[in-house]
Amino acid sequence: MSLIARIASLSHRDRITTVGLTITGIWLFLVALFWLLSPGDPDSGGGVGFLVSVAGIVLPIALVWLGVAQARELAVLRAETDDLRHHLSQMRTPCPDEDISESVRMDMPEGVRMSAPEPQPARPAPVARPRPPAPTRAAAPAPAQPDPAEQAEVDPATLIRALNFPDGPDDAEAIEALRQALRDKANSKVLRAAQDVVTLLAGRDVYMDDLPPEPTRPETWRRYAEGGRGSAVAALGGIRQPDALEIAAAMMRDDEIFRDTAHHFLRHVDGLLARLVPKLDDLQIAVLADSRTARAFMLLGRVSGVFG
């Protein structure tokens, strides 16, 4: 579920809570008004009468908040459904200016690219045109100034927290880490690609929280970051849950959109590991390996044959 959808869901649930508080206040006001205006009965002061009065006050309030709780849960489910539908519609919208499959294929790791099908030519060869006249000599334009926000470096601990994604709308620390990491272009590409594959896998009931990986030595992660492949890094395929592997393999085989998205994700994680792992100590590597992004990487890398 994306951050925007979480914020929208939280806002909707806040409105539901406001309605519940309003109804509760109105009911308590009516009860108080009844007690003030009704004549007292000296013969009705027994314990049973008191219990009946308390039940008459408390039970309607309990029913109101039971309805509020159910409405809040329904709001969360609707937000998650809308977010998933939005991601799927975005991935199925063709881009008129370029061949997405080819661009993603060229971005994927070498081991994965060899197993991907060769794309068919989409356009005829361009017709040769006369060479234009040489441009007149002119002063070179001043180089564009870099945007400081796009070059803001994120410390490794913050980036690792962002790669695990927030646990919910109340996880303020992870949300802030995600915001900081998204300011960097390279990190933003990795995070958005990770969110895409995690969302698509969740649509087939494959959740990263249900896939604890087998422990992998930090040296293996460092070897992969340095370019090691094959049997030397086979331990990185630490996701071994049969159902998840079967579903992911079927999606890679039968769903072209998911296959291109997964290859795009693997390529960007390759670049991230090459940049990030050399800066980490053993404990930080262990935390990174247990993140939701790393679990998706292990799962898809295993079914794609990246680890040999």
Side-chain angles (χ1 to χ4, degrees):
M1 186 174 179
S2 67
L3 179 61
I4 295 175
R6 291 177 187 270
I7 294 174
S9 173
L10 179 61
S11 175
H12 186 63
R13 286 185 289 167
D14 287 342
R15 290 197 296 270
I16 295 173
T17 303
T18 302
V19 173
L21 290 172
T22 303
I23 296 175
T24 303
I26 293 173
W27 172 249
L28 292 176
F29 172 77
L30 293 176
V31 170
L33 191 64
F34 171 78
W35 280 100
L36 289 174
L37 298 181
S38 63
D41 187 356
D43 298 331
S44 63
V48 175
F50 176 75
L51 289 177
V52 171
S53 299
V54 171
I57 296 172
V58 173
L59 286 179
I61 296 176
L63 291 174
V64 168
W65 285 101
L66 178 61
V68 168
Q70 292 177 344
R72 285 166 64 93
E73 293 298 326
L74 181 60
V76 173
L77 292 175
R78 285 178 176 172
E80 291 178 349
T81 302
D82 292 341
D83 186 55
L84 178 60
R85 186 181 298 113
H86 173 70
H87 277 285
L88 293 177
S89 63
Q90 278 189 331
M91 311 200 99
R92 286 179 170 82
T93 302
C95 179
D97 298 329
E98 62 182 59
D99 186 346
I100 297 179
S101 298
E102 175 62 15
S103 63
V104 174
R105 179 179 176 274
M106 295 306 296
D107 284 344
M108 68 179 70
E110 181 180 357
V112 179
R113 183 165 63 244
M114 293 179 64
S115 63
E118 289 292 335
Q120 298 298 323
R123 293 182 289 270
V127 179
R129 297 182 178 178
R131 180 179 299 178
T136 57
R137 189 179 185 84
Q145 295 297 322
D147 185 354
E150 293 181 353
Q151 294 189 342
E153 185 174 355
V154 182
D155 64 276
T158 299
L159 180 54
I160 292 173
R161 185 178 298 275
L163 290 168
N164 194 44
F165 296 110
D167 291 327
D170 298 329
D171 192 355
E173 189 174 356
I175 291 175
E176 179 58 29
L178 187 60
R179 287 174 177 165
Q180 293 183 32
L182 287 172
R183 294 172 185 167
D184 180 271
K185 277 188 174 181
N187 294 335
S188 176
K189 290 179 181 179
V190 177
L191 290 166
R192 294 184 190 282
Q195 185 183 36
D196 287 341
V197 296
V198 169
T199 300
L200 290 173
L201 286 168
R204 296 289 299 273
D205 295 329
V206 178
Y207 301 99
M208 297 303 104
D209 291 348
D210 299 334
L211 305 178
E214 294 181 354
T216 305
R217 296 176 62 84
E219 290 79 8
T220 306
W221 286 96
R222 292 192 175 97
R223 195 176 300 122
Y224 186 90
E226 293 169 357
R229 296 296 184 268
S231 59
V233 295
L236 293 185
I239 303 294
R240 300 186 182 278
Q241 286 75 1
D243 291 344
L245 290 169
E246 182 179 353
I247 293 173
M251 294 175 71
M252 291 288 287
R253 182 179 62 250
D254 303 329
D255 189 338
E256 182 178 358
I257 292 175
F258 178 79
R259 182 167 59 249
D260 288 347
T261 304
H263 289 163
H264 189 67
F265 165 71
L266 290 172
R267 181 260 176 183
H268 284 300
V269 174
D270 272 359
L272 171 72
L273 295 177
R275 298 191 311 271
L276 180 61
V277 169
K279 304 176 184 178
L280 306 181
D281 57 30
D282 289 357
L283 179 59
Q284 289 175 318
I285 291 178
V287 176
L288 170 65
D290 198 42
S291 67
R292 294 183 176 98
T293 295
R295 293 185 185 194
F297 170 70
M298 294 180 187
L299 174 66
L300 297 180
R302 182 175 177 83
V303 300
S304 300
V306 173
F307 306 132

